[in-house]
Amino acid sequence: MALRMREGWEPPYPLMKAEFSLDVNRICVALIGVQSRDGMGLQPDQALLDEENGPARVECAEYVDASEYKNRFWIAYWIDSKKFESWRQDSAMRRWLANPARLLEGVGYWFETFSIARDDFETIFGTENPAGVSCAAAQMTPNDRTHGYWGSMRDRIPNSLKDSFVSPLGNKLERGAPRNTFAKRWRVKAPTNLCYIRSGQDYAHCGVEQRKTYIDEIAPVLKSGMDFLRDNPEETGCCSWRFAEVVGPNGAKTEQTFGLGYFLSIGNLEDWSATHRTHLVIFSKWQQMYRKYNFILELRTWHEVAILRDQTEFEYVNCHPGTGLLPFFEAEELPSDARAD
């Protein structure tokens, strides 16, 4: 059952959502990451994504993880599931990742893909400006008023009417024995009902005053909360968290950031959001900014959330053992030149 927020939160304007055409039955995502100490690792050419079955949209981002490795990664989105499956099974990118040379370069590579049923997915935006997979949506439309209370995220996922999205592992994330991962390929078997979230902030369009408010008051507590999720998986149920900056053309810096991660279940994400001090401080600062500017913000915020079922793949090549889902769940070591079945 949804828990009501404090009085006064409901914004006096409609939030937005992405509306996909009726022929879109699945939303597909691939994350292709390159990991190194100095950030100078070999990176795949963009041409490896620009092929017949390539994605509808690609973005690039980078972050430094808890082990001080620099990671640059590409987020690729498809709204044509047949093209995605063809690409995932056999493409220039897959062949490049499968090349045994990847194990000899002193660089880690990670490849995380998932195909999401349309009714296991939701988006919400503070403005009419699309981001993420919503850039490939048919249109942006007003949200149906399912917001403004703890639990509204779950309620916006259509399948929540018939599914509670409980993890088969319960609500307690447990770390496995350390794995020998360098110079090896590992594939992690993710449990069903893993919850994916990508939550973005774009302050490039802010005027001087709102930009200063965001940088001085919001960004520090946001970064603190993101670091907490990254560093406390057992307490939060957050299996992996990446707080990244979008990279523009030719590696240009941007004023766009996002957190991207996986929780053991949507229940774990809800618990952190509704009860943990790190998120409550972020939430309080957001409320203050909304009220300060009479709910007229130049800052663009958004998120996309999905329940991941069985059409997932998490593969790690020569990565350090704390990468992604490697510290958790069942996994198998693959042959040096393995590809997805």
Side-chain angles (χ1 to χ4, degrees), residues 160-214:
S160 66
L161 293 172
K162 60 182 181 181
D163 194 328
S164 57
F165 307 134
V166 174
S167 171
L169 302 180
N171 62 2
K172 183 67 175 177
L173 182 64
E174 296 185 2
R175 190 180 295 269
R179 291 179 169 125
N180 180 8
T181 59
F182 292 113
K184 297 180 183 296
R185 295 177 185 270
W186 283 88
R187 183 179 298 156
V188 177
K189 180 177 174 55
T192 190
N193 289 337
L194 204 67
C195 180
Y196 156 81
I197 179 171
R198 182 182 176 196
S199 179
Q201 310 81 38
D202 181 354
Y203 58 99
H205 308 276
C206 291
V208 173
E209 185 179 356
Q210 289 202 24
R211 187 177 190 277
K212 178 174 173 55
T213 298
Y214 176 75

Side-chain angles (χ1 to χ4, degrees), residues 90-118:
D90 184 21
S91 64
M93 179 65 77
R94 284 264 32 169
R95 292 188 291 274
W96 184 82
L97 286 167
N99 190 320
R102 301 290 87 82
L103 294 171
L104 306 174
E105 294 162 347
V107 175
Y109 302 95
W110 42 272
F111 185 72
E112 301 173 351
T113 73
F114 32 98
S115 176
I116 309 158
R118 178 184 177 133

Side-chain angles (χ1 to χ4, degrees), residues 133-322:
V133 73
S134 302
C135 292
Q139 60 183 331
M140 299 289 287
T141 62
N143 181 262
D144 58 6
R145 306 290 294 172
T146 309
H147 60 79
Y149 56 91
W150 300 125
S152 60
M153 173 178 60
R154 178 191 293 263
D155 290 347
R156 289 190 299 270
I157 300 174
N159 275 338
S160 66
L161 293 172
K162 60 182 181 181
D163 194 328
S164 57
F165 307 134
V166 174
S167 171
L169 302 180
N171 62 2
K172 183 67 175 177
L173 182 64
E174 296 185 2
R175 190 180 295 269
R179 291 179 169 125
N180 180 8
T181 59
F182 292 113
K184 297 180 183 296
R185 295 177 185 270
W186 283 88
R187 183 179 298 156
V188 177
K189 180 177 174 55
T192 190
N193 289 337
L194 204 67
C195 180
Y196 156 81
I197 179 171
R198 182 182 176 196
S199 179
Q201 310 81 38
D202 181 354
Y203 58 99
H205 308 276
C206 291
V208 173
E209 185 179 356
Q210 289 202 24
R211 187 177 190 277
K212 178 174 173 55
T213 298
Y214 176 75
I215 291 174
D216 292 350
E217 300 178 24
I218 304 291
V221 296
L222 178 64
K223 179 65 164 57
S224 178
M226 302 298 93
D227 287 349
F228 181 82
L229 285 176
R230 180 195 67 189
D231 297 337
N232 296 273
E234 288 93 345
E235 179 177 345
T236 62
C238 183
C239 321
S240 172
W241 192 259
R242 297 154 176 153
F243 187 54
E245 179 182 320
V246 174
V247 176
N250 301 314
K253 290 285 187 179
T254 71
E255 293 182 330
Q256 300 175 53
T257 59
F258 61 87
L260 185 153
Y262 309 102
F263 284 77
L264 185 60
S265 73
I266 193 172
N268 293 96
L269 172 55
E270 289 171 323
D271 287 346
W272 175 74
S273 299
T275 66
H276 200 273
R277 57 177 178 78
T278 52
H279 186 262
L280 295 178
V281 169
I282 296 168
F283 178 70
S284 176
K285 291 292 185 180
W286 280 120
Q287 285 187 307
Q288 292 172 28
M289 187 173 181
Y290 274 111
R291 291 179 177 131
K292 180 177 181 179
Y293 297 108
N294 197 28
F295 293 91
I296 302 174
L297 289 191
E298 297 153 351
L299 180 71
R300 299 177 180 179
T301 60
W302 61 281
H303 80 217
E304 56 190 33
V305 171
I307 307 301
L308 307 186
R309 309 288 187 163
D310 56 350
Q311 296 190 37
T312 64
E313 180 187 357
F314 293 85
E315 187 172 313
Y316 304 92
V317 181
N318 198 36
C319 291
H320 70 74

Side-chain angles (χ1 to χ4, degrees), residues 1-12:
M1 180 177 293
L3 300 176
R4 289 278 161 188
M5 286 186 177
R6 302 177 181 89
E7 291 294 328
W9 158 244
E10 190 79 13

